[in-house]
Amino acid sequence: ARRAPTARWNERKRQLGRVISESDGVRVDRLCFLSAVPHGHAGLRRTRTGGGIGRGKEGSMPILEVENLSVHFRVGPFWNRQVLRAVDGVTLQIEEGETLGMVGESGSGKTTLGRTLLGLLPPAEGRIRFRGQDLPVLSDRALRSYRREVQMVFQDPFESFNSLYKVDHVLEVPLQKFRLATNRQDMQRRMEAALRAVGLRPEETLGRYPHQLSGGQRQRIMVARALMLNPKLIIADEPVSMIDASLR
């Protein structure tokens, strides 16, 4: 049976302790990791960065606030539809300079929660506020900014690629959509710099199709894509699950 992340995580996080540390060299304000752990464990793990980039200020507004968030799906045959509570009653906030880790067994709703925070799934109940503004009422301009400032690294990187396109496509499109590159040369420079930042050689990566790369290479490309946009928040759903332990 699927277990949904609930407000009871607030009671368990004291037992889990401060175990997640900021990844070295990642220049973003805050990170939200969604990770799986063995059956029977669920909770929140939280830590604050020690200084420098993204350090929080006393009394500053949280970048992300989630209040009593629930996501439900209708499942089963049409004559006997039932409600699956994938996410039920989640409340959390991410402060400036903070890393928040959400842990739970497979199927507990971590990916569903991440997709909902990104705006890909509608919540059944609850509120999501980004910098104090409710997500559903953002203007077109504010929503466009939200989509650039909040990036997600999906658990299965292969689903993020279109097998008909070369891997260059997933890097080029956001640069074009958000007008971050002034010309083709600037776009190429940004893509190559992002790939090098995650340990990939551009000459061995660009120009290839997704099936020609390993799972770890595809996952690092999606990390590079997220960082390339200078996001304020990254929602990372098991972002290193396919990467060799020596490179994590």
Side-chain angles (χ1 to χ4, degrees), residues 34-85:
L34 307 181
S35 307
V37 296
H39 180 84
H41 294 75
L44 293 173
R45 299 182 178 184
R46 182 188 299 268
T47 187
R48 181 173 292 278
T49 56
I53 298 168
R55 181 161 185 156
K57 296 181 179 180
E58 198 68 32
S60 62
M61 178 183 297
I63 189 171
L64 183 70
E65 298 174 273
V66 178
E67 182 181 340
N68 197 32
L69 185 69
S70 298
V71 183
H72 302 162
F73 297 103
R74 303 284 291 180
V75 298
F78 68 89
W79 62 86
N80 187 27
R81 304 289 277 178
Q82 297 181 358
V83 176
L84 172 63
R85 296 177 178 271

Side-chain angles (χ1 to χ4, degrees), residues 222-234:
M222 299 315 297
V223 173
R225 180 189 184 278
L227 296 177
M228 187 175 59
L229 301 181
N230 276 330
K232 299 300 182 183
L233 176 70
I234 293 181

Side-chain angles (χ1 to χ4, degrees), residues 3 37 71 117-118 125 152 154 172 181 185 199 209 215 246:
R3 293 187 179 183
V37 296
V71 183
L117 296 181
L118 201 65
E125 299 174 0
M152 185 166 183
F154 293 96
E172 292 174 348
Q185 290 74 24
Y209 288 93
S246 59

Side-chain angles (χ1 to χ4, degrees), residues 32 118 124 150 209 214:
C32 179
L118 201 65
V150 179
Y209 288 93
S214 69

